[in-house]
Amino acid sequence: MAISTYFSIEQMRKRNRAKEAQRYQPDYTLLDETVVELEKLFGIAARKTDATRLYELLSRIKQAERRFPNLPFGTVVAHIDAYKKTTLPDDFTRKLTTTKLSADTLLDLSRQQGATITAALAAIAAVQAEIDRRTT
């Protein structure tokens, strides 16, 4: 009797974890897509137009944050918002030639982009690790 009760409880736990995993799956996949996009941007000095897809993903991450406020999606949002502030203006080459923008400023923005991407990737890994912890 005790063994059958144990297996029944264990089956219920497995079912609950499977249901939980299904609830989190779209957002887990969204974070995977965001990682791919961030890695594309990592090697370039991105302009605002280069990051259009990232901003679309950011909107969806904000929705995930509202759905699951107990997961640290907010840190991902904060890092991507910080990245938005470091993107180069679309007409930066014109501004550079007319000296409205110095080369040092552009290099600094590019370095900041790399740092914020690294921080965003770490935040995404933390969210995915938490989802994994809850569903396994």
Side-chain angles (χ1 to χ4, degrees):
M1 178 80 162
I3 293 173
S4 66
T5 303
Y6 170 76
F7 285 120
S8 296
I9 291 171
E10 192 60 30
Q11 288 299 331
M12 286 177 35
R13 285 184 185 154
K14 285 182 182 178
R15 268 189 245 122
N16 287 341
R17 285 186 183 141
K19 285 180 187 177
E20 197 74 4
Q22 284 180 332
R23 284 184 46 217
Y24 291 130
Q25 186 57 43
D27 297 319
Y28 198 94
T29 303
L30 168 63
L31 292 174
D32 282 340
E33 291 174 38
T34 305
V35 166
V36 170
E37 194 61 33
L38 286 169
E39 288 176 348
K40 285 180 190 175
L41 295 171
F42 193 73
I44 63 171
R47 296 173 300 166
K48 291 182 191 233
T49 54
D50 296 327
T52 303
R53 173 80 175 125
L54 180 65
Y55 302 152
E56 292 169 5
L57 293 169
L58 175 61
S59 175
R60 292 172 48 203
I61 293 169
K62 287 178 180 179
Q63 292 171 3
E65 181 184 23
R66 286 190 290 275
R67 272 192 306 277
F68 301 109
N70 57 345
L71 286 172
F73 282 107
T75 57
V76 176
V77 170
H79 290 301
I80 295 175
D81 278 339
Y83 179 80
K84 282 173 78 171
K85 294 175 185 167
T86 65
T87 53
L88 302 175
D90 290 329
D91 59 346
F92 79 93
T93 53
R94 184 181 57 79
K95 287 183 178 180
L96 185 60
T97 57
T98 60
T99 67
K100 289 183 182 178
L101 205 56
S102 72
D104 289 336
T105 302
L106 291 175
L107 285 172
D108 187 49
L109 286 173
S110 183
R111 286 185 198 106
Q112 289 175 23
Q113 284 180 6
T116 55
I117 286 175
T118 301
L121 290 171
I124 288 170
V127 174
Q128 288 182 322
E130 179 61 22
I131 291 171
D132 288 341
R133 188 190 66 75
R134 293 179 183 196
T135 57
T136 55

